[in-house]
């Protein structure tokens, strides 16, 4: 079964948020919003991402909230997108 | 089957973002991040939320990105939360 990993995060510190984006990109995930990434994932990749995120935010848990969802094809395919704002791969991230 | 609706959004305009939060709250969803809500949902509620979001952002589609995911229990229960930042119900939203 093809799974997808969705990661959404709430990190107000610019430097830490930027590190989070770089890390998630390094794991092969694609930026879909300023603070959301998604990509095909095995359970093993999902565990690696979880471990990496946990390391990245260590000591700053009170300031942040990161949520990981492992989506089945049914859940992934239920996705509805409204609006046309898109992100490219760089850190500032914003293109249209 | 108990479904959950996850809504994540990327809206830079403060007024529109605030309207989005109020609308999602009015639909019974719970704020889990600055720009993310979740809650139990029937397919009918999901359609209503999609229609409401579509109305709310009309004419400003180029500035925003909203994604809706209808999660099965398996997907919802796969959720992992890292960090302790939480939101309350008011518009500014931030509590710990």
């Amino acid at each position: 079964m093809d799974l997808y990993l969705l990661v959404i995060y709430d990190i107000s510190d610019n430097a830490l948020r930027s590190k989070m984006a770089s890390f998630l990109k390094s794991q092969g995930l694609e930026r879909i919003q300023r603070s959301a990434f998604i990509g095909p994932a095995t359970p093993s990749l999902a565990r690696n991402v979880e471990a990496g995120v946990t390391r990245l935010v260590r000591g700053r848990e009170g300031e942040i909230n990161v949520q990981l969802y492992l989506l089945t094809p049914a859940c992934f395919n239920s996705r509805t997108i409204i609006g046309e704002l898109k992100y490219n791969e760089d850190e500032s991230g914003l293109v249209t």
Side-chain angles (χ1 to χ4, degrees), chain A:
Chain A
M1 187 166 63
D2 296 328
L3 297 171
Y4 291 82
L5 180 64
L6 172 67
V7 183
I8 61 175
Y9 51 94
D10 215 334
I11 299 178
S12 54
D13 181 80
N14 290 340
L16 186 58
R17 193 174 62 246
S18 177
K19 278 184 196 168
M20 181 64 67
S22 297
F23 170 70
L24 295 174
K25 185 182 164 193
S26 78
Q27 299 298 301
L29 302 181
E30 179 197 1
R31 193 171 213 160
I32 52 168
Q33 290 185 352
R34 191 173 70 99
S35 295
F37 280 72
I38 201 168
T42 59
S44 158
L45 176 71
R47 281 191 297 272
N48 288 346
V49 170
E50 183 182 340
V53 167
T54 302
R55 266 195 308 275
L56 200 59
V57 303
R58 189 159 292 156
R60 305 183 70 174
E61 289 85 355
E63 305 167 44
I64 63 99
N65 183 291
V66 184
Q67 303 202 4
L68 296 83
Y69 295 82
L70 198 54
L71 304 181
T72 62
C75 294
F76 179 74
N77 291 326
S78 80
R79 176 165 77 147
T80 302
I81 301 177
I82 298 167
E84 293 137 24
L85 188 67
K86 297 208 187 307
Y87 282 84
N88 64 10
E89 295 295 326
D90 75 9
E91 269 317 287
S92 65
L94 191 56
V95 294
T96 53

